[in-house]
């Protein structure tokens, strides 16, 4: 039970972290530029827009019984490269003159290896989506 609760907690935190760019886009594009960030109209706007965003996501998740396949695709195309590939590449760009040849080779190996793994995971996720979409039923309880 504790492991399940811990997993759910970390999943919720990760979802909020990776949803932050969408929240920032919505706040910047449609939010009011008047008042501070804690002005009542700005807070109400953020609660409404973020709540609506989560509501739409929850509705889509309930409609698609194989949402895990789409989550796999999202992870393969965004989360995985942002976490592993971009971090190594940024480290290389910042520290390139201070690293030894072995360290540079290691980081380029990480970039190439994790890029290939990301591509393989995306192909596998697309295959799962195609297989599961053959037996698709709206709001199915699998």
């Amino acid at each position: 039970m504790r492991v399940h609760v811990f997993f759910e907690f970390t999943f919720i935190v990760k979802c909020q972290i990776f949803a932050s760019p969408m929240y920032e886009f919505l706040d910047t594009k449609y939010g009011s530029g008047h008042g501070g960030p804690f002005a009542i109209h700005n807070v109400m706007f953020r609660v409404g827009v973020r709540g609506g965003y989560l509501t739409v996501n929850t509705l889509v998740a309930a409609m698609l019984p194989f949402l895990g396949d789409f989550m796999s695709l999202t992870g393969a195309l965004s989360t995985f490269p942002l976490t592993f590939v971009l971090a190594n590449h940024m480290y290389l760009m910042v520290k390139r003159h201070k690293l030894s040849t072995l360290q540079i080779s290691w980081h380029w190996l990480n970039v190439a290896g994790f890029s290939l793994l990301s591509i393989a995971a995306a192909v596998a996720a697309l295959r799962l989506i195609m297989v599961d979409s053959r037996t698709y039923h709206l709001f199915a309880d699998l």
Side-chain angles (χ1 to χ4, degrees):
M1 177 68 180
R2 289 184 200 156
V3 173
H4 181 67
V5 170
F6 178 75
F7 174 75
E8 290 297 326
F9 177 72
T10 58
F11 182 72
I12 290 168
V13 170
K14 288 178 200 175
C15 284
Q16 293 303 315
I17 289 170
F18 286 108
S20 293
M22 179 56 78
Y23 295 154
E24 182 62 29
F25 168 74
L26 292 172
D27 291 348
T28 304
K29 178 99 171 154
Y30 301 108
S32 169
H34 307 307
F38 298 110
I40 191 69
H41 64 278
N42 288 334
V43 171
M44 294 304 293
F45 174 78
R46 282 195 308 271
V47 169
V49 167
R50 293 176 185 195
Y53 177 74
L54 291 175
T55 302
V56 168
N57 285 340
T58 303
L59 179 66
V60 170
M63 287 173 52
L64 300 174
F66 52 95
L67 183 71
D69 300 346
F70 287 103
M71 290 178 66
S72 297
L73 182 63
T74 302
L77 295 176
S78 63
T79 307
F80 200 80
L82 286 174
T83 303
F84 297 107
V85 177
L86 184 64
N88 279 290
H89 191 266
M90 288 174 62
Y91 187 79
L92 276 169
M93 294 299 109
V94 170
K95 300 275 189 176
R96 100 178 85 180
H97 300 296
K98 298 177 184 174
L99 297 174
S100 69
T101 305
L102 179 64
Q103 290 173 319
I104 291 172
S105 300
W106 171 252
H107 286 289
W108 278 117
L109 179 67
N110 281 335
V111 168
F114 285 121
S115 295
L116 291 174
L117 284 174
S118 179
I119 291 167
V123 169
L126 286 172
R127 183 190 174 282
L128 283 173
I129 290 170
M130 288 188 294
V131 167
D132 289 341
S133 64
R134 290 185 188 133
T135 59
Y136 171 70
H137 300 290
L138 194 63
F139 292 107
D141 185 14
L142 301 177

